[in-house]
Amino acid sequence: MALGKNFGIDFGTTNSSVVQYITTSGVGEFVSYGDDEGRPIPSIVAIDCETGEIHTGRDAWNRRAELKGSCECIPSIKSLLDDASWNRVIAGRKWNVVDIATEVLKALKEAVVNRGDEFAEATLAIPIGLNSTARKTLRDAADNAGIKAEALVSEPTAAFFANYNELKSDEHVAIFDWGGGTLDVSILKHSNGQLTELATSGMPIAGDYIDELIARKVHALIARDKGMQVGFDEMNPRDRDMLIVRCERAKRALSEEDDVKITLNRYGNLGVVRRLITYEWFEEVVSSTVDKAVACLDKAIVESGEPEGNIDRVVLVGGSSNLGPLYERMERRFGEKLFFPDETVWSISRGASLLSNKPGGYTAAQNVGIILADGSYYPLLSVGDVIEGWHKSIDFGITDTSESLRVVFSGSQDIDSSERRFKYIDIPGYRFLEERLRLDAEIDRDLVFRVRMKSSMRPDRDARVWEYHNLKLSYGLRDWSPT
């Protein structure tokens, strides 16, 4: 008898995935849903400019340069989630970001339904710091796709839980999540039943960049072998697509093999291609990119305030973490501390599926407050406060007859050192000493800290909103362990 079916979604920049965690008679197992190759589904949508036909998934990804001739191609949709002004009129229909993200989530749902399973709700994993607009866009897109977003969890927290049995005895864990579009590094602290996010770092350079980099280098070798002078960008889009696809496959194969042959029956005017790629050549091509990735890890460790020697485990997840030169570099540096899970590309969606029952809950891992007129600090949110249902309403007195009431926020290093637009907010004042500043603070279901403020003299207007999307949280494990 099935005791529970829980879905988790990793909506990625380049690839998105969905995993179901099924418990039957007390025994749990993961079911991953992907494309025909058994891989996560590319986060790309191509819409025919004449017919409105929609292309998604692996086929659209493999043909993306070709489809650009007849379609509006939108890759890396995750990077657009916070752009409320983005819209396109394609084949007579107006599209916005919610509509585009919906198509990716529909593809995920279709992958589940095509295998005979029902799929109505899921826990969604999101990057730390994703702003409120992006979070709402993702929720709305899920609703449009027929998927209820029952909860949002941070991606590093999901990655930790996906590998809980391996990591449960470790105190400081680095999550190195290198996918197709971005690298995200997080330093976590696991102590006394709490998982706290100490620091993050990252870069927008990942698998897609590496695939094209290799393709451009291989193209140069092919052109030299053929004695022809033609640039990669001068090739037909279909031929460029084909070479990038072959190079991506070669990249994956070189994680286990010493050399790989790239074969194309016809590569434009360059004809038949048979090119052997050695691991040594590949290592040289990607070395500078690996250097940048490792530098992101170094930055996160420094910002966490923990010496490197205190890091108990370094967890590699995401497709690009399979890169052989990266793994070798990490293994030399961290030795037995390095953990490379099975099925790394599914780790985050696996963790989200485990957390879909939410046996624990979030508490604040930082303070947020305001600076009063006398320079003292007034706390709004404090470390350890329970996040679910948190809100606070306060009336503050006004010390003079100003036309502008300035509220200065504080409580954490990133707030104190931020730009002025982020650190404080101006509210219209009406020059009365009996005036009051009304402050309502809450943490919404998307884990965004939001403050609304207005003068008591005009309660019907002039409200100002301050939002904080980088709220550091601890996840309370309670007595949780996967079945």
Side-chain angles (χ1 to χ4, degrees):
M1 179 179 66
L3 301 179
K5 295 184 177 182
N6 308 293
F7 287 91
I9 290 176
D10 176 14
F11 190 94
T13 304
T14 300
N15 296 293
S16 295
S17 62
V18 57
V19 169
Q20 182 180 188
Y21 182 67
I22 303 176
T23 56
T24 306
S25 300
V27 178
E29 65 173 331
F30 294 105
V31 179
S32 303
Y33 302 88
D35 59 17
D36 292 339
E37 299 179 19
R39 299 163 60 192
I41 295 172
S43 305
I44 184 173
V45 175
I47 306 166
D48 192 285
C49 295
E50 296 293 331
T51 67
E53 181 182 3
I54 299 169
H55 305 269
T56 59
R58 185 67 52 191
D59 178 66
W61 178 255
N62 289 345
R63 300 170 52 212
R64 58 193 183 279
E66 174 193 349
L67 289 173
K68 286 179 180 178
S70 60
C71 298
E72 181 82 27
C73 291
I74 306 100
S76 304
I77 296 160
K78 187 175 183 178
S79 64
L80 299 174
L81 290 178
D82 63 349
D83 188 354
S85 65
W86 188 97
N87 64 79
R88 298 286 189 277
V89 176
I90 308 170
R93 174 185 167 182
K94 187 173 182 178
W95 292 78
N96 58 30
V97 177
V98 173
D99 299 327
I100 299 299
T102 296
E103 296 302 323
V104 175
L105 289 162
K106 281 182 178 179
L108 293 180
K109 183 164 186 175
E110 184 178 357
V112 176
V113 173
N114 285 347
R115 287 172 56 176
D117 290 321
E118 297 181 359
F119 182 19
E121 58 184 31
T123 291
L124 275 60
I126 60 170
I128 297 172
L130 193 70
N131 69 31
S132 57
T133 299
R135 297 181 195 205
K136 184 178 185 304
T137 296
L138 195 54
R139 277 193 184 273
D140 290 346
D143 286 341
N144 291 348
I147 304 169
K148 178 184 177 183
E150 59 179 354
L152 303 181
V153 299
S154 75
E155 291 174 354
T157 296
F160 180 92
F161 275 94
N163 303 287
Y164 182 80
N165 285 335
E166 179 71 26
L167 304 174
K168 60 186 177 183
S169 298
D170 298 314
E171 183 175 1
H172 293 98
V173 176
I175 304 293
F176 188 95
D177 178 13
W178 206 11
T182 63
L183 167 65
D184 297 290
V185 181
S186 299
I187 309 300
L188 308 178
K189 182 177 181 179
H190 175 214
S191 177
N192 297 322
Q194 298 287 322
L195 184 67
T196 304
E197 297 153 355
L198 299 180
T200 61
S201 182
M203 67 178 185
I205 299 174
D208 301 345
Y209 170 86
I210 294 170
D211 296 341
E212 183 171 331
L213 174 65
I214 297 169
R216 288 179 177 277
K217 297 294 186 180
V218 169
H219 170 85
L221 294 176
I222 295 169
R224 187 186 67 190
D225 291 345
K226 302 287 186 178
M228 300 178 66
Q229 295 183 347
V230 55
F232 179 74
D233 293 323
E234 299 174 57
M235 299 296 293
N236 181 281
R238 180 190 294 270
D239 295 322
R240 294 202 305 268
D241 282 343
M242 289 175 60
L243 183 58
I244 291 173
V245 168
R246 297 297 194 281
C247 288
E248 190 271 339
R249 292 174 181 170
K251 177 190 71 176
R252 288 189 283 126
L254 285 167
S255 65
E256 298 179 354
E257 302 176 21
D258 293 333
D259 52 61
V260 175
K261 181 175 289 187
I262 292 177
T263 302
L264 292 169
N265 291 329
R266 182 171 183 81
Y267 183 51
N269 293 332
L270 297 178
V272 177
V273 170
R274 303 283 189 274
R275 200 36 160 106
L276 188 70
I277 301 300
T278 66
Y279 184 84
E280 289 75 15
W281 177 89
F282 167 69
E283 184 176 29
E284 183 178 349
V285 169
V286 302
S287 62
S288 63
T289 306
V290 171
D291 289 343
K292 294 175 183 177
V294 173
C296 285
L297 173 62
D298 295 337
K299 182 174 182 288
I301 292 174
V302 170
E303 292 184 355
S304 74
E306 296 291 337
E308 184 173 312
N310 282 3
I311 304 298
D312 300 304
R313 303 300 288 274
V314 176
V315 183
L316 302 182
V317 297
S320 295
S321 290
N322 290 282
L323 211 62
L326 170 73
Y327 184 84
E328 292 172 357
R329 177 90 66 87
M330 293 290 207
E331 189 175 39
R332 287 195 299 268
R333 178 172 172 181
F334 295 104
E336 294 183 352
K337 292 183 177 182
L338 190 67
F339 176 54
F340 193 75
D342 294 333
E343 305 291 344
T344 59
V345 295
W346 303 98
S347 277
I348 291 175
S349 46
R350 280 187 172 189
S353 72
L354 283 169
L355 292 174
S356 61
N357 282 332
K358 294 196 304 182
Y362 280 112
T363 56
Q366 69 167 88
N367 300 312
V368 183
I370 60 176
I371 303 298
L372 301 180
D374 62 0
S376 63
Y377 173 78
Y378 184 90
L380 297 175
L381 178 73
S382 300
V383 172
D385 285 353
V386 175
I387 295 301
E388 185 175 0
W390 185 91
H391 68 276
K392 183 172 287 188
S393 297
I394 309 167
D395 281 358
F396 290 97
I398 306 301
T399 59
D400 57 31
T401 57
S402 298
E403 293 184 356
S404 179
L405 313 177
R406 175 167 295 180
V407 179
V408 179
F409 292 90
S410 185
S412 69
Q413 183 178 1
D414 62 321
I415 295 175
D416 293 340
S417 61
S418 63
E419 300 176 21
R420 295 172 67 185
R421 62 179 175 80
F422 182 70
K423 185 174 179 178
Y424 68 74
I425 187 170
D426 286 321
I427 304 163
Y430 294 93
R431 302 176 66 88
F432 291 99
L433 287 175
E434 63 267 30
E435 190 174 5
R436 295 288 185 271
L437 174 64
R438 295 180 177 174
L439 182 151
D440 290 296
E442 67 170 354
I443 298 174
D444 67 15
R445 63 177 183 167
D446 294 334
L447 306 179
V448 175
F449 185 93
R450 183 178 292 107
V451 176
R452 292 180 177 86
M453 294 165 286
K454 63 175 68 176
S455 166
S456 62
M457 306 303 294
R458 299 297 300 271
D460 59 328
R461 59 180 297 186
D462 294 331
R464 294 292 188 270
V465 176
W466 183 81
E467 291 184 343
Y468 181 47
H469 312 106
N470 299 318
L471 190 63
K472 294 180 178 62
L473 303 170
S474 295
Y475 191 87
L477 306 183
R478 299 178 185 171
D479 295 324
W480 186 90
S481 63
T483 303

